[in-house]
Amino acid sequence: MGSPPSLVARPGAGQVELTAEGSWTVAHARSLDGLIDETVQRMPPGQPVSVDMHRITTLDTYGAWLIERLVRARENLPGGVRLEGLPERYKSLFDQIQRADRAPPVPAPSRFSISGKLEQLGRATVGFGNELLAFASMLGALVLSLGRVIANPRSFRLTSTVHHLDRVGWKAVPIMLLITFLIGCIIAQQGFFHFRKFGADAYVVDMVGILVLREIGVLIVAIMMAGRSGSAYTAELGSMKMREEIDALRTMGRDPVDVLILPRILALVIALPILTFLGSMAALYGGGVVAYFYGGMSPDIYIERLREAVSLTHFEVGMIKAPFMALVIGVVACAQGLAVKGSAESLGLETTASVVKSIFLVIVLDGLFAVFFAAVDM
Amino acid sequence: MSIEVKNISKSFGSFKALNNINLDLPPGELIALLGPSGCGKTTLLRIIAGLETADEGSIILSGEDASNKHVRERQVGFVFQHYALFRHMTVFENVAFGLRVKPKAHRPPEKEIRAKVHRLLDLVQLDWLADRFPAQLSGGQRQRIALARALAVEPQVLLLDEPFGALDAKVRKELRRWLRRLHDELHISSVFVTHDQEEALEVSDRIVLMNKGRIEQIGSPREIYNEPATSFAYSFIGTVNEFRGHVEGGYVRVGNDLLPHNRTDLNDGASVIAFARPHDTEIIKGAEGEGVAAKVNRILSSGAITRVELIANGDARQGKKDYFEVEVTPADLAALSLATGEAVRIKSRRLSLFGDK
């Protein structure tokens, strides 16, 4: 605690001499506060003031700030305040205090103001541009790598591609079949429930067939792939990036796109159409099951109606979309994976972003295809 | 292979990681890039390797401009702090990887690869682990495998990024000695990054001391320790007593105390930082006279030299509590007969002064 502080005023020739003593710390806050107020009030305004501080035993930010307050209160008066004998050890503290709080605080820009909104919009645009750039550069790197492989087929990593095909294709079959089967069941059930009111039972089969083959089959499978395999790609590449394995590959003269990314995306592009086909079949089968048990339609009639309603074009429309969706999922997943920075937190963020972005892009792509197929009459 | 770094600058956003770095490293030496965290040493190493591109300047390897060369053409071996071993490959396959992925024209036959990998594993004394996976190894073993892998491609330069940073103190010390021995055997130009001054002083032929994206000093460990060129070099390397004050004739005024110095080229009133090593600092009995007043805090007498820790009032560091360390021989200690809490004075036989900004 130290000795209590004091501030003694001695009027000298044409100036006031103040002597500060004792411990100017927060422990003596109450008495210090009174001391300064009293002194400031009692001092004649016109005279210069000098403060002798060499008998201060301890000083903290609080005490230093009080002295600084005294200085600032008389800054614009003639003479001002002169400080003397500040112990060396408190010099840097005092320098800090003198600099503190000089400029008026800059008001935080309101988030609701027009300029704030503009700033947000600008930042969002730049962010979007950067993401587009990352996507395009990954796509470009992929095309280059594909070109190298075509020029020199021996450098293709077949084992790795087959391994990934097994993971994202073969091992995904049961879950894809189950989900698409259930979706087929649900669409058929809803169809029967509502169409029955109009006596249009027979058209349920048309709806199930066209919907599944053109849209639902490929969309469900692509979304499942983005969640199941896209996120796995991002996490794998991200953790390899974190452990500097990707840098290690580069120092040993291998391009990570050739070694890691091309096999992964190729596996996805091969697997997705196959899974789309299987999924569509499962959905149609699910529709048939519901038609028999819920709609009272015999399997023969179901198949007959299907044959009439569905043409090869519908099937083609679904299948053409599949590899493009796979490409989008793969490129987004790999680009996000390489964007991972050193921390585990960033790995989680990028994995989430990978799934969200690829699902979004898959749906946008589906919309573009819808416009395209309508234009070419398919 | 000689490495020349010319006017290299690199910024990350508004942060200047490297500020006009110039270096000329002769071939065959083991060089340490030493500095505190965030001083840009890893960035510099990655730029030399080609893993990162500089905003300005060029890298010259063996007299040839390599700035636009791809990593794989620079013939560097890189050892990473976290080993970066491929997890799904055995130790053998990891080391062989660099050879097996070479283009067919340069790839040695399988038999030769096997022989070479075993030779390298012998060199790092881990041949018996060839069939294990990285996850089954200890940290020290993994780092040695990573080194073998980097050496497999016969690099012209070996670059090591804090190679022992993730290991415990004892293993670090062993590996340090081992790295030095390995370098003496192979004589391959090597640059390693470290923030551990002891490591740099013990292992390297030459130290490049960095701070805030600039080079502070380049020199042999002896020079760096005995003749630090800047106040940063002094305070970063080794234990040191620091005094801040201003010049008053033949003295440095530190608070109310006076510390004698023997420089003549300083103006009165100039702010200075003075440094003294613990073995160049002496304790004087009595509370009056020359030297900075301090209180004996602890006397640590284990080993041949006794270390005395002292506390002063804070004048020398301007606010922060001052801890000083003095090394005394047992004979001197007996003559002084110090007691804990005793008020004494300290001064230095060899005080180094630097201007304070």
Side-chain angles (χ1 to χ4, degrees):
Chain A
M1 291 271 285
S3 53
S6 71
L7 188 64
V8 183
R10 213 150 20 93
Q15 68 165 4
V16 185
E17 283 174 29
L18 298 173
T19 311
E21 266 182 57
S23 155
W24 283 58
T25 58
V26 75
H28 303 286
R30 187 190 288 269
S31 58
L32 270 173
D33 216 22
L35 217 58
I36 289 285
D37 284 347
E38 209 180 310
T39 315
V40 169
Q41 273 169 22
R42 269 201 311 205
M43 271 186 311
Q47 283 181 3
V49 177
S50 76
V51 186
D52 183 3
M53 300 199 287
H54 84 266
R55 295 171 82 168
I56 289 180
T57 50
T58 47
L59 184 74
D60 66 0
T61 315
Y62 184 77
W65 173 245
L66 285 179
I67 295 172
E68 177 64 16
R69 222 174 68 189
L70 181 70
V71 174
R72 288 190 191 182
R74 299 180 69 88
E75 218 161 28
N76 300 321
L77 300 176
V81 178
R82 210 151 40 84
L83 300 177
E84 280 167 2
L86 176 69
E88 194 86 21
R89 58 182 172 278
Y90 300 126
K91 228 180 112 195
S92 59
L93 170 65
F94 227 82
D95 286 346
Q96 287 294 329
I97 290 286
Q98 273 171 346
R99 275 198 296 273
D101 213 14
R102 278 285 179 189
V106 182
S110 162
R111 276 202 278 157
F112 302 103
S113 71
I114 291 180
S115 63
K117 285 279 175 222
L118 265 179
E119 186 187 327
Q120 275 179 14
L121 185 69
R123 283 183 194 282
T125 311
V126 169
F128 180 71
N130 286 342
E131 272 169 27
L132 217 58
L133 210 64
F135 183 84
S137 88
M138 178 55 71
L139 201 60
L142 193 70
V143 171
L144 272 181
S145 167
L146 201 62
R148 278 197 294 271
V149 164
I150 290 168
N152 180 12
R154 294 194 66 108
S155 71
F156 181 59
R157 291 183 34 102
L158 185 66
T159 320
S160 174
T161 311
V162 171
H163 168 71
H164 289 296
L165 208 51
D166 172 56
R167 276 185 8 163
V168 304
W170 180 242
K171 292 203 172 123
V173 168
I175 184 73
M176 295 291 176
L177 287 182
L178 179 66
I179 298 282
T180 45
F181 171 77
L182 291 176
I183 296 277
C185 289
I186 292 162
I187 292 173
Q189 187 271 335
Q190 288 292 309
F192 278 111
F193 185 77
H194 293 283
F195 282 23
R196 191 169 280 164
K197 291 175 196 157
F198 313 107
D201 287 25
Y203 292 104
V204 170
V205 184
D206 295 53
M207 182 187 74
V208 170
I210 295 173
L211 204 56
V212 163
L213 288 182
R214 284 187 80 109
E215 296 290 336
I216 298 291
V218 64
L219 260 187
I220 295 291
V221 170
I223 290 173
M224 290 284 293
M225 276 297 232
R228 186 185 177 276
S229 308
S231 63
Y233 282 1
T234 308
E236 283 164 10
L237 291 173
S239 68
M240 290 180 97
K241 177 101 191 284
M242 272 167 66
R243 277 194 297 262
E244 301 174 309
E245 284 174 44
I246 289 182
D247 284 336
L249 265 180
R250 291 171 64 199
T251 57
M252 278 184 279
R254 288 310 300 262
D255 189 334
V257 178
D258 292 359
V259 181
L260 301 172
I261 293 174
L262 185 67
R264 278 184 168 78
I265 295 185
L266 223 49
L268 209 57
V269 170
I270 296 169
L272 195 63
I274 298 174
L275 287 172
T276 301
F277 174 76
L278 293 176
S280 301
M281 294 308 119
L284 291 181
Y285 183 71
V289 168
V290 168
Y292 180 67
F293 286 107
Y294 182 80
M297 187 185 273
S298 84
D300 290 342
I301 299 175
Y302 181 77
I303 291 172
E304 194 52 42
R305 286 288 318 152
L306 209 55
R307 198 169 281 157
E308 277 170 35
V310 173
S311 70
L312 193 63
T313 314
H314 297 311
F315 175 68
E316 278 171 359
V317 165
M319 293 305 286
I320 287 171
K321 288 193 276 195
F324 290 96
M325 290 184 173
L327 188 67
V328 165
I329 295 169
V331 169
V332 168
C334 293
Q336 290 314 119
L338 292 190
V340 168
K341 306 265 179 335
S343 67
E345 195 187 11
S346 139
L347 182 65
L349 281 176
E350 295 296 344
T351 308
T352 312
S354 156
V355 174
V356 173
K357 272 184 208 162
S358 45
I359 290 178
F360 170 74
L361 282 178
V362 158
I363 289 169
V364 168
L365 193 67
D366 194 47
L368 292 177
F369 268 117
V371 174
F372 171 73
F373 287 129
V376 299
D377 258 344
M378 266 175 97
Chain B
M1 178 151 79
S2 66
I3 306 168
E4 217 182 315
V5 175
K6 265 193 182 160
N7 306 323
I8 289 282
S9 294
K10 171 89 181 168
S11 304
F12 296 106
S14 60
F15 173 70
K16 231 172 158 60
L18 293 174
N19 197 348
N20 201 9
I21 297 280
N22 282 291
L23 266 179
D24 197 351
L25 305 172
E29 284 194 349
L30 180 55
I31 288 146
L33 286 180
L34 176 65
S37 308
C39 74
K41 52 197 192 304
T42 294
T43 309
L44 180 59
L45 195 76
R46 289 175 68 91
I47 288 176
I48 294 175
L51 289 172
E52 204 117 33
T53 46
D55 299 340
E56 272 171 57
S58 48
I59 299 288
I60 291 155
L61 300 175
S62 300
E64 223 180 302
D65 193 342
S67 310
N68 296 319
K69 268 194 186 170
H70 194 268
V71 200
R72 62 170 161 262
E73 290 152 12
R74 294 197 188 186
Q75 292 186 291
V76 294
F78 206 105
V79 177
F80 296 89
Q81 183 178 0
H82 298 292
Y83 330 121
L85 293 174
F86 304 126
R87 280 161 300 157
H88 58 289
M89 294 183 187
T90 62
V91 162
F92 182 91
E93 285 165 347
N94 259 293
V95 178
F97 182 83
L99 296 170
R100 285 188 175 154
V101 299
K102 278 194 173 179
K104 194 127 210 252
H106 305 165
R107 194 189 312 155
E110 186 61 26
K111 214 174 137 196
E112 218 170 283
I113 293 181
R114 295 198 150 270
K116 184 160 189 190
V117 170
H118 281 298
R119 210 164 53 239
L120 281 165
L121 287 175
D122 259 341
L123 186 71
V124 299
Q125 299 155 355
L126 290 175
D127 201 20
W128 53 288
L129 290 175
D131 297 327
R132 300 263 187 100
F133 284 91
Q136 295 166 301
L137 308 185
S138 72
Q141 290 169 339
R142 278 184 221 181
Q143 195 56 292
R144 281 194 275 171
I145 296 300
L147 194 61
R149 186 179 68 175
L151 289 171
V153 291
E154 289 177 11
Q156 297 292 309
V157 189
L158 188 61
L159 304 171
L160 305 104
D161 181 13
E162 307 226 9
F164 313 132
L167 303 171
D168 67 66
K170 194 159 175 274
V171 180
R172 282 173 89 120
K173 215 156 186 162
E174 266 168 42
L175 278 191
R176 216 139 81 186
R177 231 171 278 141
W178 174 83
L179 175 69
R180 182 68 237 186
R181 252 203 334 271
L182 192 74
H183 183 264
D184 290 340
E185 264 173 56
L186 300 174
H187 278 295
I188 173 170
S189 306
S190 313
V191 180
F192 79 102
V193 158
T194 179
H195 58 254
D196 183 347
Q197 40 134 333
E198 210 183 307
E199 199 167 289
L201 290 171
E202 197 176 308
V203 176
S204 64
D205 293 316
R206 191 186 291 260
I207 294 176
V208 176
L209 184 63
M210 293 182 64
N211 183 31
K212 292 183 182 161
R214 288 173 184 283
I215 292 176
E216 292 274 336
Q217 193 176 0
I218 304 172
S220 68
R222 236 189 71 86
E223 281 166 4
I224 296 266
Y225 188 85
N226 290 332
E227 296 147 32
T230 62
S231 61
F232 171 80
Y234 227 117
S235 53
F236 191 74
I237 305 277
T239 318
V240 75
N241 295 320
E242 181 184 326
F243 308 92
R244 280 165 193 265
H246 51 267
V247 176
E248 272 186 24
Y251 292 95
V252 178
R253 163 143 328 259
V254 179
N256 297 323
D257 302 320
L258 290 169
L259 209 56
H261 71 83
N262 44 22
R263 286 269 290 270
T264 51
D265 54 337
L266 293 166
N267 293 328
D268 259 18
S271 283
V272 290
I273 310 175
F275 294 101
R277 298 276 183 215
H279 53 83
D280 287 329
T281 311
E282 58 188 338
I283 297 177
I284 304 157
K285 290 279 262 190
E288 298 298 320
E290 286 184 343
V292 170
K295 263 197 198 108
V296 177
N297 186 39
R298 287 203 302 167
I299 302 173
L300 307 159
S301 47
S302 60
I305 293 274
T306 301
R307 286 186 298 131
V308 182
E309 198 181 278
L310 306 105
I311 302 182
N313 63 6
D315 280 348
R317 295 276 295 282
Q318 296 183 347
K320 278 183 250 164
K321 203 140 213 172
D322 275 334
Y323 283 91
F324 296 116
E325 204 177 300
V326 180
E327 285 175 9
V328 285
T329 58
D332 288 347
L333 189 70
L336 282 165
S337 68
L338 293 171
T340 309
E342 191 179 341
V344 292
R345 288 187 168 261
I346 55 173
K347 69 175 192 183
S348 169
R349 292 177 280 261
R350 205 172 142 238
L351 201 64
S352 302
L353 298 182
F354 294 95
D356 191 6
K357 283 145 267 160

